Amino acid sequence: MNLKQQIKVGDILPTVSLKYCPYDPELKNACGIPQVLSTDSFKGKKVVIFGVPGAFTPTCNNNHLPEYHEKYQDLAKKGVDQVVCISTADAFVMDAWGKWTNVSDKVIMAADGNGDFVKATGLVQDLTKVGMGAVRSKRFAMVVEDMKVIYIGVETQFGVSVSGAGAVLAKL
């Protein structure tokens, strides 16, 4: 695996294509058709991107994602245009997880299925020791303003602290 140095404040977000199924309240028991979400679409916007090691996993499902959904309006009041959750799953899993957690259109559930984003930003980790595979996202959050990273918090221990919505709000 060709690893890059971890992205830091002041760096420009790399251009990477993610996949997501646009929110559709009519599709309750099926997923939509995956669309491309290029990081280039973040130009001119303030975007919060947070990464999780796995959809439906206990900490991701019970703590990390719900806090972003709960604090969405607070983030919007601070000028955040989009909130994007990234995991190294496929678009269908991310869509199903979004439905399961009722995030509706507040959080874009983006798939980094091949790990292109986490590799390009140096936010990849190997979780083969726990049976989750070699290419998984670290638990992180970043704020990107017009493609420039203005905050990044990467968890170094179990749990959600520097990558949670509260930590991001404190930096905005």
Side-chain angles (χ1 to χ4, degrees):
M1 191 176 342
N2 185 11
L3 296 180
K4 294 201 171 210
Q5 183 176 2
Q6 187 170 291
I7 197 167
K8 60 190 180 312
V9 170
D11 287 350
I12 300 299
L13 196 66
T15 297
V16 176
S17 290
L18 304 164
K19 294 279 186 142
Y20 79 110
C21 296
Y23 173 70
D24 183 345
E26 300 297 315
L27 293 175
K28 293 184 174 130
N29 296 314
C31 295
I33 296 176
Q35 306 293 311
V36 173
L37 175 67
S38 173
T39 55
D40 279 346
S41 70
F42 303 154
K43 287 179 182 169
K45 297 178 182 175
K46 185 184 282 187
V47 180
V48 173
I49 304 166
F50 69 101
V52 297
F56 294 103
T57 60
T59 301
C60 305
N61 192 68
N62 299 331
N63 304 104
H64 211 178
L65 178 58
E67 185 184 17
Y68 277 96
H69 184 243
E70 291 163 12
K71 296 186 184 297
Y72 175 81
Q73 291 301 329
D74 297 330
L75 292 162
K77 287 177 188 172
K78 295 273 190 164
V80 172
D81 297 297
Q82 288 180 312
V83 177
V84 180
C85 176
I86 291 178
S87 185
T88 51
D90 64 65
F92 301 112
V93 167
M94 294 301 287
D95 189 52
W97 187 31
K99 287 176 179 161
W100 174 259
T101 55
N102 296 311
V103 298
S104 64
D105 60 350
K106 303 295 186 255
V107 179
I108 296 171
M109 303 299 288
D112 185 22
N114 295 328
D116 296 335
F117 181 88
V118 294
K119 290 175 194 172
T121 57
L123 293 166
V124 66
Q125 66 177 326
D126 182 340
L127 292 178
T128 53
K129 65 183 179 254
V130 294
M132 290 179 68
V135 179
R136 287 290 177 157
S137 176
K138 290 182 179 180
R139 185 177 306 285
F140 72 88
M142 69 172 77
V143 179
V144 177
E145 192 163 6
D146 194 23
M147 299 296 287
K148 185 177 182 181
V149 177
I150 61 170
Y151 171 77
I152 184 146
V154 181
E155 302 295 347
T156 58
Q157 297 181 5
F158 185 77
V160 178
S161 59
V162 298
S163 67
V168 168
L169 277 165
K171 299 295 181 179
L172 293 175

